[in-house]
Amino acid sequence: MNGVLIARRLAAVAAVAALMGLTACATPSRPEAMSLPATPGLTAAASDLGYRSVTSVIVSGGRETNPMFSAQVSNEDFKTALEASLDAAGYMGADGPPMVVTANMIELNQPMMGLDMSVTSRIQYSVTSDGRVVFNDTVAATGTATMGEAFAGVERLRLANEKSIKENIRQFLQRFRSTAR
């Protein structure tokens, strides 16, 4: 009887240890996964407003990831992704009148759990040149990560964050390009 009880306890401990091995710590979003490469239709031409003129990018509203909770998008990672995207689109530089891009992450709406996880980001963008606002709009975009992309929920959430921010930046560049001409 005593041997059976010990065997059950050892099995329970082994099961808990195996389950703990399946769980993962939350990891921060990766700037390279949120950045857009040079994309036809989003790339500035020399005659476009803002071509190689963005000298400063200011980002606010992001949050650092706590490994014990859920993946987030930090200001630093978002800024790196936005700058890389602006650079790939031909906007970063000092060739024209200096422009400042300000991005305020208003919301990162994340699910608590799920098989397919969708994250919606709402970011307010403002672009100024010589003290005047040349663009001011709020962009909302959704990114979804499926169970097939990542088994661990924290990993799916990180992927959904990255996809949401990348789509948000894409929509910003599209709107800026169409209204700033």
Side-chain angles (χ1 to χ4, degrees), residues 15-148:
V16 168
L19 286 175
M20 288 177 71
L22 290 176
T23 62
C25 293
T27 57
S29 298
R30 301 165 300 155
E32 63 276 7
M34 298 184 290
S35 302
L36 284 169
T39 305
L42 297 181
T43 305
S47 60
D48 290 341
L49 175 66
Y51 176 74
R52 300 198 36 76
S53 297
V54 175
T55 57
S56 180
V57 175
I58 301 166
V59 171
S60 63
R63 292 187 356 193
E64 295 292 328
T65 296
N66 180 334
M68 298 305 292
F69 296 108
S70 64
Q72 297 293 322
V73 178
S74 70
N75 287 335
E76 183 180 324
D77 291 340
F78 176 44
K79 181 179 179 178
T80 300
L82 182 55
E83 286 176 336
S85 299
L86 286 164
D87 190 43
Y91 289 106
M92 293 298 291
D95 293 352
M99 297 182 91
V100 176
V101 174
T102 304
N104 178 28
M105 192 177 311
I106 298 168
E107 177 181 32
L108 193 63
N109 189 357
Q110 302 173 311
M112 292 298 289
M113 64 178 90
L115 297 179
D116 292 348
M117 292 190 180
S118 293
V119 171
T120 301
S121 57
R122 280 188 9 168
I123 300 170
Q124 193 273 323
Y125 295 94
S126 178
V127 181
T128 57
S129 178
D130 292 329
R132 87 183 157 89
V133 177
V134 296
F135 180 86
N136 188 17
D137 199 2
T138 299
V139 177
T142 301
T144 302
T146 65
M147 183 77 129

